[in-house]
Amino acid sequence: MEWFEEYYGDVALKIKIKKIIADFHSKYQHIQLFDTFEFGKMLVLDGKIQLTERDEAFYHEMLVHVPMFTHRNPEKVLIIGGGDGGSLREVLKHDVSEAVLVELDGEVVELSKKHLGIDNGAFEDPRATVLIEDGIEFVKNLGERFDVIIVDGTDPNPYSEHIMSREFYEACSKIADVFATQSQSPFVQPDYFKKMFDNISSVMDVRVYINFVPTYPLGLWSYLIHSDESPSLDDIEKRFADRGIRTEHYNPEVHAASFALPEWVKRIVKDR
């Protein structure tokens, strides 16, 4: 019986594999798709778990709905990364007029369409546009504004580090009302988290929120959000009810609670 192991320093997560669906190298990265016994299909890029069917909603819903409900009326949304379609699926649950997804590696999109299917038809939605381009170049050359920008990036690698740069965040700050990004694990990957926080906070005000994703490094995951508006729980509850969105994990109470940070995370942020 085969096992997949993802290492983070001196610890690892080990998952039993039922079947290897795909295993190849694209121009940019090593792409693997497995069928597992406990977690369903599992997408792995460069040896790092990107999602499993069982808990991908924990990640995608918090990445997407926190910024989407922070905005009072999001109509135009830009997603950088997210070639598996999970973030696009969640964005399209809102009454948006346009959702643009910019993904560097078209192989991820094609594999996800053919073998994964977590987008639930989002790739074919007439409101969606999928572009296979470099995200930073797209943002730098953009001549229009978006209500919300969501960055659904991979673990840092030579091709994704540019969307962790100050230059990228500065360009984003000029074209969106609300900006959100995943920001790695502050517990297992503190250097990456600190770098992202420093780069974003140098160009815009930013808040940290956290969530639990079981198959991510030791479970704890973080996100960063910029918005000029800080809606109350009552505001979020009203927007959630008015938009009639069905979720697996996210709700207004979880939204509010995700901004309550443990002391050690507060110290990291305060010391930056």
Side-chain angles (χ1 to χ4, degrees), residues 69-99:
F69 282 113
T70 295
H71 197 288
R72 64 180 63 244
N73 184 31
E75 294 184 349
K76 290 183 61 177
V77 180
L78 174 62
I79 304 167
I80 303 294
D84 53 70
S87 290
L88 182 62
R89 175 197 73 211
E90 295 303 316
V91 164
L92 292 174
K93 290 180 179 179
H94 297 256
D95 188 23
V96 300
S97 60
E98 181 182 9

Side-chain angles (χ1 to χ4, degrees), residues 65-71 94 231 236 239-240 243 245 250:
H65 295 309
V66 171
M68 292 295 284
F69 282 113
T70 295
H71 197 288
H94 297 256
I236 299 298
R239 293 172 189 178
F240 186 66
R243 298 181 198 178
I245 290 174
Y250 172 94

Side-chain angles (χ1 to χ4, degrees), residues 1 3 8 26 50 69 77 79 91-92 98 109 113 116 118 135 151 162 164 174 191 204 209 216 222 235 245 262-263:
M1 191 63 63
W3 293 80
Y8 354 103
S26 71
Q50 303 302 300
F69 282 113
V77 180
I79 304 167
V91 164
L92 292 174
E98 181 182 9
V109 175
K113 285 181 178 180
L116 189 55
I118 67 161
V151 182
H162 62 289
M164 295 170 55
K174 297 175 181 177
D191 291 342
M204 55 180 132
Y209 65 102
Y216 282 7
S222 72
D235 293 330
I245 290 174
E263 288 300 307

Side-chain angles (χ1 to χ4, degrees), residues 92-147:
L92 292 174
K93 290 180 179 179
H94 297 256
D95 188 23
V96 300
S97 60
E98 181 182 9
V100 178
L101 186 149
V102 181
E103 166 63 49
L104 179 65
D105 195 342
E107 298 272 16
V108 174
V109 175
E110 293 308 312
L111 177 72
S112 298
K113 285 181 178 180
K114 186 175 181 180
H115 294 293
L116 189 55
I118 67 161
D119 67 292
N120 291 348
F123 285 125
E124 311 307 322
D125 192 295
R127 297 170 295 167
T129 300
V130 178
L131 303 174
I132 308 304
E133 297 184 27
D134 186 324
I136 190 169
E137 293 302 320
F138 179 85
V139 169
K140 283 166 58 178
N141 296 313
L142 197 61
E144 59 181 308
R145 288 186 61 83
F146 285 85
D147 296 313

Side-chain angles (χ1 to χ4, degrees), residues 183-190 193-194 197-198 206-211 220-224 257-272:
S183 50
Q184 307 297 129
S185 167
F187 185 68
V188 178
Q189 301 162 308
F193 172 77
K194 291 173 186 177
F197 183 86
D198 287 347
V206 68
R207 296 179 68 195
V208 181
Y209 65 102
I210 58 176
N211 186 48
L220 181 68
W221 208 245
S222 72
Y223 312 80
L224 300 172
S258 70
F259 287 93
L261 303 180
E263 288 300 307
W264 64 271
V265 177
K266 287 183 181 180
R267 284 193 290 268
I268 292 175
V269 173
K270 183 179 179 181
D271 292 343
R272 305 317 305 147

